[in-house]
Amino acid sequence: MLPWKTYDAMCRAAARDPEGFWLEAARRIDWAQAPVAACRSRPDGWHDWFAGGTLNSCYNAVDRHVAAGRGEQTALIWHSCATRERHMLSYAALQRRVAGFAGGLRALGVGKGDRVLIAAPCMVETAIAMLACARIGAVHVVVFAGYAAAELARRIDDVTPKILVAASCSFQGRTAVPAQAALEAALAGAAHVPDACVIVQRASCPMRIDPRRDHDFHALEGYPPVPSVPVRAEDPLYILHTSGTTGAPKGIVRDNGGHAVALALSMELIYGCGAGDCFFTTSDLGWVVGHSYGLYAPLLNGGTSVIVEGCPSASVIRELCAAHAVRCLFTTPTQLRLMRQGGAVLSGLPSLRRVFVAGEYADPALLDWARSSFRRPVVNHWWQTETGWSITAHFLGLAEAASPALMNEIGRPGPGFAPIVRPSVAGGRSGEILLALPLPPGCLAGVWKEGALRPPAPYLDESGAWYRTFDEGLITEDRVVHMLGRSDDVIKVAGRRVSGVQIEKIIAGHGQVHVCAVVAVADPLRGQRPVAYVVPAAWPAQAAWADEIVARVGQAMGRWVGLKEVLFVRQLPTTRSGKIMRRALAAA
């Protein structure tokens, strides 16, 4: 039960006594040794959360719910869009399988601090492998199952895993993609050689087993179960690679203690979900949303989590929400656009209370469509792989109602997040958003470099006192953060800065626009000019639509913006996680 009724009361409590605030939040977790301090500075200049405390993340996510008599409650529901399989796992069954696989990993020599690289799609076995690593104090490193050999080899060399877990195939749509060739090439190309490989054999495309190196995943589940091992709160739980914020791939390290406390608090505070509630995220387990809200957060709170392999259609999402009484749905703007394109109607789901959106910019027209389709609150919020949970949100677990007028914005800062704006021009209101240090629990404990945890130097400003988000925005007097886009998405027109996202928001309001992206191109006279790439709602696009879009932007922002080119395309390039690749468009 949250002790605050309002957002202001929560902010006052966190600001007045941050140590007391976070130690109280830490009571949501079962500790082998409870912490006596919340935040502590590290010798390397970064900070640890709940140092001195010991716990086990797997125990908190699984075992304690079985011990509390809830072993028969469903913990995980898995659906494959590729094979049409569906599997439900109770907490007791999950405990048995995780404890057995943890015993198998230990038999292969895996211990505290060892890395286990998991190259598998969103499957029950992927979740079991993650939890089994946490159970014995090993560090899981989940990578996208469809990576080419070179990318997989780079990650092998970066984290030097003791064991590599792989699925025999992944899927593109409903087409099986064998993993054998990429796996063998990655192992041959990497300088580091794992001790062994563990293979999840899939009926659609089994892999040839090398008996000298490979072990069957399900055979390892049959090993004698092992109990959870207490680890220090500051010990790494996982490494997750990202290239999103500072260019080159980096291994973001998440700790055990801060991660567990932050996610347990967030489920109640931000999402309004508690024990027994069903939470559904459409994200793959290989991405940060899948880590945080596909696996750990719902289980830490004793809930039920729905995870899916592949991109679920609107009908699959509706079916899963109805069949499993889903209370909260967490999805992406890309997923909503696919639903809108198909004309989906998603009302008539009595258990669904709210829909959350994150991952990239969501324009107001898209959010308004989603609200009319679901007939439920659809709210935006902002976070990054590096933070692991929301920097800003709308806090639907509080008693006060979130303002409908602000639902299209990304919300107000969460507890422990203290953002400021570094103005782009003297006297300006907008600029890059910086976060004061220390960051709250649940954020990155550092980056993985040269075989060890390092301070996240690439993310700090020149003074070393602020975390750079590399996102631009402004903060109004009511503490609402308004997002304007990535720092490198800002367009400089004749010395004036304009947000590409701001232009996109105006374009998206045109009735014939399905999705759009605005990028900067070089202009010999004005330095840069905006170009809009638009996927129309119907194909072929009418020439008049381009003129209407140009006029619309000129009317809303002024003709100085200089939008003259509107290019209609059938689709926009996106990353594997669904974000629009604006750099690729700008380079085209």
Side-chain angles (χ1 to χ4, degrees):
M1 187 74 178
L2 294 171
W4 327 282
K5 297 291 186 184
T6 68
Y7 175 78
D8 287 341
M10 178 189 70
C11 289
R12 285 194 300 269
R16 183 173 58 246
D17 180 16
E19 280 283 302
F21 181 96
W22 289 113
L23 286 175
E24 176 63 29
R27 295 178 64 182
R28 287 174 166 77
I29 298 301
D30 283 1
W31 299 83
Q33 175 66 51
V36 296
C39 188
R40 183 185 72 181
S41 296
R42 288 198 322 230
D44 63 11
W46 199 236
H47 48 273
D48 286 325
W49 282 95
F50 310 113
T54 60
L55 75 161
N56 185 273
S57 293
C58 178
Y59 177 86
N60 274 279
V62 181
D63 300 68
R64 66 169 171 163
H65 305 307
V66 177
R70 302 175 59 194
E72 297 311 307
Q73 178 192 316
T74 302
L76 283 178
I77 299 166
W78 171 72
H79 173 84
S80 173
C81 300
T83 66
R84 302 296 194 263
E85 295 171 274
R86 191 170 299 176
H87 190 50
M88 299 173 64
L89 212 57
S90 69
Y91 272 100
L94 181 62
Q95 181 188 46
R96 287 192 297 271
R97 294 186 66 178
V98 168
F101 189 70
L105 288 178
R106 182 172 285 177
L108 294 177
V110 179
K112 270 188 183 183
D114 288 333
R115 275 80 60 205
V116 175
L117 191 144
I118 305 168
C122 190
M123 305 165 59
V124 169
E125 287 83 357
T126 307
I128 287 171
M130 294 166 72
L131 290 167
C133 289
R135 191 173 193 82
I136 58 176
V139 181
H140 60 73
V141 188
V142 182
V143 302
F144 180 68
Y147 271 141
E151 288 293 322
L152 184 54
R154 272 194 282 272
R155 282 152 179 77
I156 291 172
D157 284 338
D158 185 43
V159 301
T160 60
K162 183 91 171 177
I163 300 294
L164 190 151
V165 178
S168 63
C169 70
S170 57
F171 286 87
Q172 290 182 354
R174 299 195 67 181
T175 302
V177 180
Q180 182 103 45
L183 178 61
E184 298 296 347
L187 291 170
H192 173 76
V193 180
D195 287 0
C197 294
V198 177
I199 307 300
V200 183
Q201 292 283 28
R202 306 193 75 179
S204 305
C205 187
M207 182 184 290
R208 184 180 68 256
I209 294 293
D210 181 347
R212 299 165 299 177
R213 183 195 67 192
D214 299 337
H215 301 263
D216 181 79
F217 186 99
H218 297 110
L220 289 184
E221 284 189 45
Y223 272 69
V226 297
S228 59
V229 175
V231 298
R232 299 181 308 164
E234 61 269 34
D235 283 342
L237 170 66
Y238 69 77
I239 300 170
L240 184 61
H241 287 88
T242 179
S243 59
T245 303
T246 62
K250 291 164 296 298
I252 301 303
V253 181
R254 199 82 64 205
D255 64 357
N256 275 273
H259 172 263
V261 171
L263 292 192
L265 174 63
S266 73
M267 283 297 287
E268 190 175 359
L269 175 63
I270 295 172
Y271 302 101
C273 283
D277 288 334
C278 189
F279 196 94
F280 177 12
T281 174
T282 60
S283 176
D284 189 278
L285 286 175
W287 311 126
V288 68
V289 175
H291 276 55
S292 292
Y293 295 101
L295 184 65
Y296 282 108
L299 300 190
L300 286 167
N301 267 35
T304 298
S305 179
V306 179
I307 57 175
V308 292
E309 177 185 25
C311 181
S313 65
S315 61
V316 167
I317 290 174
R318 180 182 176 80
E319 178 188 350
L320 291 171
C321 286
H324 305 294
V326 169
R327 183 180 179 88
C328 290
L329 173 66
F330 189 154
T331 191
T332 65
T334 297
Q335 193 79 52
L336 290 181
R337 292 184 191 108
L338 290 172
M339 295 181 198
R340 182 176 65 180
Q341 195 171 34
V345 177
L346 292 149
S347 58
L349 296 170
S351 297
L352 187 66
R353 293 291 178 266
R354 49 192 67 101
V355 179
F356 295 88
V357 182
E360 57 174 321
Y361 172 68
D363 60 83
L366 177 65
L367 295 174
D368 287 343
W369 170 85
R371 292 182 189 114
S372 67
S373 181
F374 282 102
R375 298 184 183 175
R376 292 289 184 272
V378 179
V379 298
N380 212 349
H381 56 338
W382 171 47
W383 52 307
Q384 301 175 335
T385 299
E386 293 83 355
T387 64
W389 65 304
S390 291
I391 304 170
T392 63
H394 292 277
F395 310 101
L396 299 187
L398 295 174
E400 64 177 350
S403 169
L406 298 176
M407 284 296 192
N408 286 344
E409 304 300 339
I410 56 174
R412 294 182 287 182
F417 287 106
I420 64 163
V421 169
R422 181 167 61 184
S424 304
V425 295
R429 296 179 61 208
S430 65
E432 184 182 352
I433 302 171
L434 307 179
L435 303 177
L437 299 181
L439 297 178
C443 295
L444 74 171
V447 295
W448 188 261
K449 186 176 181 181
E450 298 171 350
L453 175 66
R454 310 286 185 185
Y459 293 93
L460 303 182
D461 75 335
E462 301 81 1
S463 71
W466 297 89
Y467 169 90
R468 297 188 63 188
T469 67
F470 297 91
D471 282 315
E472 296 230 347
L474 60 89
I475 304 173
T476 50
E477 291 180 358
D478 53 4
R479 289 180 284 184
V480 174
V481 180
H482 302 259
M483 183 60 63
L484 299 177
R486 301 292 294 168
S487 296
D488 51 9
D489 291 338
V490 171
I491 303 168
K492 300 173 185 175
V493 179
R496 300 179 68 178
R497 295 166 62 89
V498 59
S499 161
V501 165
Q502 192 175 359
I503 302 174
E504 289 171 12
K505 186 182 295 187
I506 296 165
I507 294 173
H510 189 285
Q512 295 299 327
V513 172
H514 172 58
V515 62
C516 64
V518 173
V519 301
V521 299
D523 185 277
L525 181 63
R526 311 182 78 197
Q528 290 181 327
R529 69 178 188 276
V531 173
Y533 289 82
V534 173
V535 177
W539 192 271
Q542 297 180 21
W545 296 347
D547 295 336
E548 291 166 7
I549 288 168
V550 169
R552 186 182 183 89
V553 172
Q555 196 170 37
M557 299 185 68
R559 295 183 64 184
W560 68 269
V561 171
L563 177 67
K564 297 178 181 179
E565 294 176 76
V566 177
L567 305 177
F568 292 105
V569 295
R570 288 187 179 272
Q571 62 182 24
L572 297 174
T574 61
T575 65
R576 292 186 178 96
S577 59
K579 295 181 181 179
I580 297 170
M581 299 170 64
R582 290 175 176 81
R583 290 182 185 177
L585 289 171

